[in-house]
Amino acid sequence: MSTTALKLAMVTVDTDDALGLSNWWRDAFDATVLEENEGWFVVLSLGEGSPLLAFQKVDDPTPGKNRIHLDVVAEDRAATVQKLVDAGATLIAEREMPGMSWVTLADPAGNEFC
């Protein structure tokens, strides 16, 4: 890797409840909390080799569809989707195109992910 190559280190989500939303994602990923910073900036570790996931408290999160979203994978998609919905996610749509299918959900703060 060249010294100018980028490497993804962290994905940060703006929210009006950084602690609450980070706890939801912590449970979804079975992640470890690295920093809480009194609830205004929470950092999760998803495990070695994965980027960090952070939640930043802001007064006015961007409304509407997020410009960046998480794409996650699971061995048992149906069971994982049900687990996330039971924990507070919203099922947005089940989508399909030739050779590919996915499910779009939103976390409790309305951030979409697939």
Side-chain angles (χ1 to χ4, degrees):
M1 178 186 300
S2 77
T3 57
T4 58
L6 293 176
K7 180 179 176 188
L8 182 62
M10 181 164 51
V11 175
T12 303
V13 177
D14 289 348
T15 177
D16 59 1
D17 182 10
L19 192 55
L21 191 58
S22 68
N23 285 336
W24 191 87
W25 281 103
R26 177 202 63 212
D27 293 345
F29 278 120
D30 193 24
T32 303
V33 176
L34 295 181
E35 297 179 35
E36 276 194 8
N37 299 298
E38 299 177 1
W40 65 269
F41 191 78
V42 182
V43 180
L44 302 180
S45 169
L46 306 180
E48 189 174 333
S50 295
L52 300 174
L53 185 58
F55 300 86
Q56 176 174 272
K57 182 177 172 122
V58 297
D59 292 332
D60 190 22
T62 304
K65 185 175 181 343
N66 20 321
R67 291 175 164 233
I68 297 173
H69 66 270
L70 302 178
D71 285 332
V72 299
V73 297
E75 280 188 36
D76 185 339
R77 182 185 348 187
T80 302
V81 166
Q82 189 60 54
K83 176 184 172 187
L84 293 170
V85 168
D86 290 347
T90 301
L91 177 63
I92 303 295
E94 295 189 32
R95 305 171 194 263
E96 189 171 336
M97 59 189 293
M100 186 174 170
S101 64
W102 67 99
V103 177
T104 303
L105 300 120
D107 68 18
N111 300 299
E112 292 185 13
F113 63 101
C114 298

